[in-house]
């Protein structure tokens, strides 16, 4: 199996996504998949599109800024757009950790041949530890937002189907929302809950729900 | 006229909810230029009726409605 990662890191938010997705790259490697990790400035349109065409990955994870029509890479360069090149995602399962790309691009990609497109139908929110010195590694709040996302993609990498992978992620999101609503361990917790709940509402999957990299 | 009044009430509800949060709360959301918005920056977006501000209102009200619909009953 071939797994492609696009992991820019050119701003604070992307740096957080880059850090937290590192374990997914390790997991993919450890499972013996052909793992192509394009990170930082290598997560650009030219390289990603070339790799998709040449390597025909079974599974792709995009970290990046986005919109209902687009997924971006390094320095917000558009990599895939519903108006330009949705067909390059043909025959692939995609997970897009980007704002709103499931709203239009996701549906269009499936219409033109993508197996499944998992993403967010509205903007993805990420909370950050108020301690300004906290790095991603120590950020307990960001972890609550990104842990469900990692669970989703690790499930896909391990051969589970789209439906169960999304369900697992949503269950974890609700668990974390509940935690934020009830914990006394930090006073800001309850104010992050609406944003994580928004991610729960926004997470959707288009296309074949029973698809997996095993099939 | 009535709709505008309701929208203004929604906006004020959200602003008051955001004001309850500590100023240190930070969220990255939408087109926040890759950075994290503080509580006060979020309030400003809502007050100015920006696209991000409207999305923040939608998020907060969606969350409040979820209590009515028992989505958050934790079972």
């Amino acid at each position: 199996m071939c797994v492609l990662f696009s992991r820019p890191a050119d701003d604070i938010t992307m740096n957080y996504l880059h850090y937290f997705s590192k374990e997914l790259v390790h997991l993919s490697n450890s499972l013996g998949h052909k793992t192509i990790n394009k990170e930082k400035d290598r997560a650009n349109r030219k390289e990603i599109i070339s790799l998709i065409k040449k390597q025909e990955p079974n599974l792709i994870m995009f970290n990046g800024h986005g919109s209902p029509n687009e997924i971006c890479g390094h320095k917000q360069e558009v990599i895939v757009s519903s108006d330009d090149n949705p067909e390059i995602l043909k025959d692939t399962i995609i997970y897009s950790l980007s704002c709103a790309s499931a709203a239009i691009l996701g549906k269009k990609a499936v219409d033109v041949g993508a197996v499944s497109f998992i993403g967010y139908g509205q903007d993805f929110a990420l909370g950050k530890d108020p301690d300004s010195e906290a790095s991603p590694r120590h950020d307990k709040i960001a972890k609550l937002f990104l842990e469900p996302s990692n669970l989703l993609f690790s499930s896909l990498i391990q051969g589970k189907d789209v439906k169960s992978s999304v369900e697992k992620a949503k269950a974890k999101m609700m668990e974390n929302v509940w935690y934020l609503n009830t914990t006394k361990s930090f006073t800001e917790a309850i104010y992050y809950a609406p944003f994580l709940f928004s991610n729960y509402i926004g997470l959707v999957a288009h296309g074949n729900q029973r698809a997996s990299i095993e099939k | 006229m009535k709709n505008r009044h309701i929208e203004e009430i929604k906006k004020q509800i959200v602003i008051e909810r955001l004001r309850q949060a500590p100023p240190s709360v930070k969220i990255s959301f939408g087109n926040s230029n890759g950075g994290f918005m503080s509580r006060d920056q979020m309030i400003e977006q809502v007050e100015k009726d920006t696209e991000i501000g409207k999305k923040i209102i939608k998020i907060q009200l969606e969350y409040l409605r979820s209590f009515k619909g028992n989505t958050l009953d934790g079972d």
Side-chain angles (χ1 to χ4, degrees):
Chain A
M1 298 298 156
C2 180
V3 183
L4 171 63
F5 291 88
S6 177
R7 299 169 59 234
D10 51 290
D11 60 40
I12 300 172
T13 302
M14 287 304 111
N15 196 35
Y16 267 74
L17 268 56
H18 177 266
Y19 175 80
F20 276 89
S21 57
K22 198 187 324 181
E23 68 178 48
L24 299 172
V25 178
H26 292 323
L27 176 63
S28 181
N29 270 317
S30 73
L31 291 171
H33 299 318
K34 181 175 184 182
T35 303
I36 306 170
N37 176 30
K38 288 294 161 186
E39 58 182 355
K40 301 182 182 177
D41 61 341
R42 304 296 296 276
N44 61 69
R45 179 186 172 96
K46 185 178 173 188
E47 292 198 49
I48 297 293
I49 290 179
S50 172
L51 277 164
I52 292 174
K53 287 177 179 174
K54 285 182 187 164
Q55 302 292 335
E56 296 181 331
N58 306 90
L59 185 58
I60 303 175
M61 178 172 185
F62 288 103
N63 285 347
H65 290 292
S67 75
N69 296 303
E70 299 167 341
I71 298 170
C72 299
H74 179 67
K75 291 198 174 171
Q76 301 199 39
E77 179 187 32
V78 175
I79 295 179
V80 189
S81 161
S82 59
D83 299 327
D84 178 26
N85 58 351
E87 70 284 349
I88 66 160
L89 301 177
K90 190 172 181 297
D91 299 328
T92 304
I93 298 172
I94 301 103
Y95 174 49
S96 173
L97 182 53
S98 62
C99 287
S101 59
I104 296 176
L105 172 59
K107 292 176 188 173
K108 185 69 186 280
V110 167
D111 285 346
V112 296
V115 174
S116 311
F117 187 105
I118 307 164
Y120 297 85
Q122 53 200 41
D123 288 359
F124 182 82
L126 177 62
K128 183 183 184 302
D129 194 317
D131 178 357
S132 61
E133 298 303 316
S135 67
R137 186 188 310 190
H138 301 117
D139 197 322
K140 60 183 181 295
I141 295 175
K143 186 181 174 189
L144 294 170
F145 283 77
L146 291 173
E147 183 182 33
S149 173
N150 274 15
L151 202 57
L152 190 161
F153 202 70
S154 69
S155 180
L156 291 171
I157 292 174
Q158 292 174 78
K160 303 292 186 284
D161 67 24
V162 166
K163 184 171 189 288
S164 63
S165 300
V166 170
E167 283 171 355
K168 227 177 256 189
K170 285 202 171 224
K172 192 62 180 174
M173 284 178 183
M174 284 309 292
E175 184 185 313
N176 290 351
V177 167
W178 194 245
Y179 170 75
L180 287 168
N181 271 317
T182 55
T183 186
K184 302 280 191 280
S185 60
F186 55 105
T187 53
E188 309 85 4
I190 197 167
Y191 302 102
Y192 287 97
F195 294 95
L196 181 52
F197 182 72
S198 173
N199 292 349
Y200 167 86
I201 295 292
L203 177 59
V204 295
H206 302 303
N208 185 354
Q209 304 290 311
R210 291 295 175 197
S212 75
I213 59 172
E214 301 285 326
K215 298 172 194 168
Chain B
M1 192 68 147
K2 187 179 174 187
N3 279 343
R4 209 183 320 161
H5 182 60
I6 290 170
E7 292 310 307
E8 189 57 34
I9 290 173
K10 286 178 184 176
K11 187 171 148 183
Q12 289 308 315
I13 287 171
V14 168
I15 289 171
E16 287 310 313
R17 278 185 59 81
L18 289 172
R19 281 200 178 123
Q20 301 303 310
S24 54
V25 165
K26 288 194 187 302
I27 299 284
S28 172
F29 173 73
N31 187 17
S32 53
N33 293 318
F36 286 79
M37 287 184 287
S38 66
R39 175 201 70 178
D40 292 341
Q41 286 170 323
M42 285 191 275
I43 290 172
E44 187 183 355
Q45 295 290 324
V46 173
E47 283 174 339
K48 289 183 175 176
D49 289 321
T50 64
E51 282 309 305
I52 292 182
K54 289 173 187 169
K55 288 174 183 177
I56 291 170
I57 292 173
K58 181 174 179 280
I59 283 175
Q60 294 287 335
L61 294 181
E62 199 169 60
Y63 183 67
L64 288 173
R65 285 192 199 102
S66 71
F67 285 95
K68 180 186 170 193
N70 294 324
T71 311
L72 289 171
D73 61 15
D75 291 334

